[in-house]
Amino acid sequence: MTSPSDLSGPRAATTSNSTPGRIPGRRLLHSPGPTHIPDAVLHAMAVQPMDLADPRVDETIAACEEGLRRVLGTRDAQVFMYSANGHGAWEAVLVNIAAPGQTVLMAGTGHFSEAWALQAEDLGLMVQRTPWVEGQPIDTGSIEAALRADVARAIVAVLVVHTDTASGITSDVPAIRAAMDASGHPALLVVDGVASVAAAPLYMDAWRANVVLGASQKGLMVPPGLAYVAVDARALAVAQANPMPRHYWGWQLRVGAQSYRKFCGTPPETLLFGLRAALGLIEQEGLEAVWARHARLAAAVHAAVEGWREAVNVPGVIDFFCPVPAARSVSVTAITLGGGHSPDALRQVARERFQVAVAGGLGPLAGRVFRIGHLGDLNEAMLLGALGGVQAAMDVLNIPHGDGVGRAIAYLSRSA
């Protein structure tokens, strides 16, 4: 029988004579979520749950709420947490701010904006989509144009994926807010920060976002299963007047001092203990230092891609999916692989032979890209190990490439 330790660190393998063997060390996890979990978070979660009357439960919830406010850059937003993933946070927002037949404007980012749009349509909402050009960030001009054209003010909210995990592209939320202001439209601004919170700057209050949502398994360095939504007073008022039927996802039912009420049932105590520890680690490092570390590690990955794509006489085999340097995210880099080479084969060799787990393409990018996650609890040595495993897999598969690892090392040695 497989135990949890078999899956995370030293793992079972099959040797040439088909008998179980052991591969020492840890598999390096470089997906854009789940991400590597710090020991302090694992230790915080390795405790017995408490009865709900224990004051430590409410104390933990309050600490998580306040810690999330600091990470999100808000002083007064109401924070709601759910036993859910990011898709649960999407639904929580949709059913609170809109009713069947009402319209939301989905800013096109590719896979994840389309997935969110389809979810909204399944809930009976009307979805107006702005176009997305592959490799490009959100088109703010199309948002302003759509809002100006909505003379009936039918659009209740603009939904924005800050960092699209599938494409590795981060869009300019302040520019989107400015476009909304220029249109004079009263729609709410809702920001999906799943892949950007605790990795890139995000200022809910300063950017005048009405709602920010996220999940635990990325920059927050906690296992999957905990989602959160931060809501300002204006969005709360919209939710109060919204006739959409809802219960578990409803914000009004989750307002109160009792932990049982805040979670519409039993709180996920173990995940909350982990989140509190993770937020403590972020504060200990300093939020701006966390952002700077993510920017530095992302730049090292980008340097590696620059090196890989410089294979002599073999252009177009390896390249950035996003051609706009300023829009490449600090969380994950999507890398195209052409010339008849398979991203999934590269991932398999990297994972099974070199113990480096990277992600593949999603939706329309399936079979076209592989993705290196570089967010959460990471340092230079971990990143260089991942880049080395990927480059070694390229060698095994005879994929033409330049010296990406050398480029990354050179960058890190200069930026230290």
Side-chain angles (χ1 to χ4, degrees), residues 342-369:
S342 167
D344 292 334
L346 174 67
R347 293 175 57 221
Q348 182 175 10
V349 172
R351 181 180 63 247
E352 299 302 329
R353 185 162 174 179
F354 299 107
Q355 305 307 307
V356 174
V358 297
L362 296 174
L365 300 185
R368 297 171 55 193
V369 306

Side-chain angles (χ1 to χ4, degrees), residues 204-383:
M204 180 177 177
D205 288 354
W207 294 356
R208 293 173 40 239
N210 302 104
V211 180
V212 175
L213 64 94
S216 57
Q217 76 276 13
K218 296 183 184 286
L220 289 177
M221 310 176 292
V222 179
L226 190 64
Y228 59 87
V229 179
V231 187
D232 76 357
R234 184 162 168 250
L236 285 172
V238 169
Q240 182 69 37
N242 181 17
M244 168 74 91
R246 59 207 187 271
H247 186 89
Y248 179 79
W249 302 114
W251 293 337
Q252 290 88 343
L253 289 177
R254 290 172 174 262
V255 175
Q258 294 179 320
S259 60
Y260 189 89
R261 182 182 179 97
K262 286 190 173 185
F263 281 87
C264 203
T266 306
E269 292 183 21
T270 303
L271 287 169
L272 291 168
F273 298 153
L275 177 60
R276 184 177 188 178
L279 291 167
L281 292 177
I282 290 171
E283 292 203 10
Q284 182 179 352
E285 184 177 357
L287 186 56
E288 291 190 358
V290 170
W291 294 338
R293 172 170 55 83
H294 279 80
R296 184 172 66 254
L297 296 180
V301 175
H302 300 164
V305 179
E306 293 277 4
W308 286 335
R309 70 178 179 174
E310 291 181 0
V312 178
N313 297 324
V314 191
V317 175
I318 300 170
D319 209 342
F320 293 101
F321 175 74
C322 176
V324 184
R328 294 172 192 155
S329 87
V330 300
S331 301
V332 55
T333 298
I335 304 162
T336 59
L337 187 59
H341 300 284
S342 167
D344 292 334
L346 174 67
R347 293 175 57 221
Q348 182 175 10
V349 172
R351 181 180 63 247
E352 299 302 329
R353 185 162 174 179
F354 299 107
Q355 305 307 307
V356 174
V358 297
L362 296 174
L365 300 185
R368 297 171 55 193
V369 306
F370 66 96
R371 296 175 295 144
I372 299 177
H374 35 80
L375 75 164
D377 184 45
L378 294 180
N379 60 30
E380 288 83 353
M382 296 164 75
L383 185 71

Side-chain angles (χ1 to χ4, degrees), residues 47-139:
V47 298
Q48 187 70 22
M50 305 166 189
D51 74 276
L52 299 187
D54 191 313
R56 290 175 294 178
V57 175
D58 287 337
E59 178 189 348
T60 297
I61 294 171
C64 289
E65 291 172 344
E66 188 53 38
L68 285 172
R69 287 190 190 94
R70 287 193 291 270
V71 169
L72 297 174
T74 180
R75 292 185 58 186
D76 301 319
Q78 180 76 50
V79 174
F80 302 100
M81 290 180 284
Y82 296 87
S83 298
N85 56 22
H87 290 70
W90 280 354
E91 186 152 329
V93 170
L94 291 172
V95 298
N96 279 282
I97 65 169
Q102 290 187 321
T103 302
V104 294
L105 180 64
M106 184 65 67
T109 64
H111 175 72
F112 279 98
S113 66
E114 182 58 20
W116 198 3
L118 293 173
Q119 186 185 69
E121 289 173 337
D122 286 344
L123 294 169
L125 307 184
M126 304 295 292
V127 180
Q128 184 175 339
R129 297 163 171 84
T130 67
W132 178 60
V133 177
E134 279 202 354
Q136 299 296 315
I138 291 170
D139 179 3

